[in-house]
Amino acid sequence: MRLAIGSDHAGLDLKHTITLLLDELKVPYEDVGTFSPASVDYPDYAEAVSRAVVEGRADRGILVCGTGIGMAIAANKIAGIRAAVVWDETSARLSRAHNDANVMTIGGRTTPIDRVPAIISAFLLTDYAGGRHDRRLDKIARLERKDS
Ligand code: RB5
């Protein structure tokens, strides 16, 4: 499992926390930035991480902004990305099991820090459940094709 991770300025501290966790877990990742607290635009980092995933340079992506919301909106514009805002272990686990999320987005200003290890483990370790969810993901893929 190789990850791509990115944040804007509002997600910088939480991105740092997550990369420390990934180092501990020995999960390789490419950090696309941002690397300073200067104000930047989250769609640029959403695109960099999402392209790494759809081009196969990363298996999954993690994006951090103030709320996780802007990153999810931007990442979901890239064909093939299923980005989910997660805020606790349950949302992270179900984003994988039900939605086969290939990108998780999370809020640096909204997520209690003590939840982060469980969120990251759930996102990394939960397999997609398939079954009835295949039909729904097929419908999402069809929406993407209809609209391109
Ligand atoms: C940046 O101030 C903030 O708007 C951004 O990080 C994010 O929360 C957008 O969804």
Side-chain angles (χ1 to χ4, degrees), residues 2 6-7 12-13 22 30 41 44 52 65 72 79 86 96 105 117 119 123 125-126 143 145:
R2 181 173 167 78
S7 77
L12 183 63
D13 288 349
L22 296 176
E30 175 193 358
D41 299 330
D44 298 332
C65 62
V86 305
R96 290 284 315 131
T105 73
I119 289 172
F123 183 68
L125 298 177
T126 306
L143 283 177
R145 286 196 295 273

Side-chain angles (χ1 to χ4, degrees), residues 54-124:
V54 294
E55 289 167 12
R57 286 177 282 120
D59 301 298
R60 287 183 207 158
I62 297 178
L63 286 165
V64 194
C65 62
T67 58
I69 296 169
M71 286 294 198
I73 292 171
N76 278 316
K77 298 294 181 196
I78 309 284
I81 292 297
R82 290 175 302 281
V85 186
V86 305
W87 58 92
D88 60 8
E89 190 272 341
T90 304
S91 56
R93 182 166 42 80
L94 293 181
S95 79
R96 290 284 315 131
H98 289 191
N99 312 110
D100 198 17
N102 50 10
V103 172
M104 65 157 259
T105 73
I106 186 166
R109 293 175 174 159
T110 54
T111 313
I113 205 78
D114 57 310
R115 290 186 188 174
V116 173
I119 289 172
I120 296 300
S121 295
F123 183 68
L124 296 183

Side-chain angles (χ1 to χ4, degrees), residues 5-58:
I5 186 166
S7 77
D8 70 359
H9 53 289
L12 183 63
D13 288 349
L14 180 52
K15 174 166 70 82
H16 182 61
T17 300
I18 294 172
T19 56
L20 292 178
L21 269 169
L22 296 176
D23 290 339
E24 265 174 42
L25 296 168
K26 299 195 181 343
V27 176
Y29 59 86
E30 175 193 358
D31 186 346
V32 304
T34 192
F35 298 108
S36 93
S39 183
V40 292
D41 299 330
Y42 59 81
D44 298 332
Y45 300 89
E47 179 175 16
V49 164
S50 298
R51 298 261 180 241
V53 172
V54 294
E55 289 167 12
R57 286 177 282 120

Side-chain angles (χ1 to χ4, degrees), residues 125-140:
L125 298 177
T126 306
D127 289 327
Y128 172 55
R132 69 188 188 280
H133 303 293
D134 282 343
R135 186 178 67 247
R136 296 157 188 170
L137 294 193
D138 283 348
K139 288 191 176 185
I140 292 173

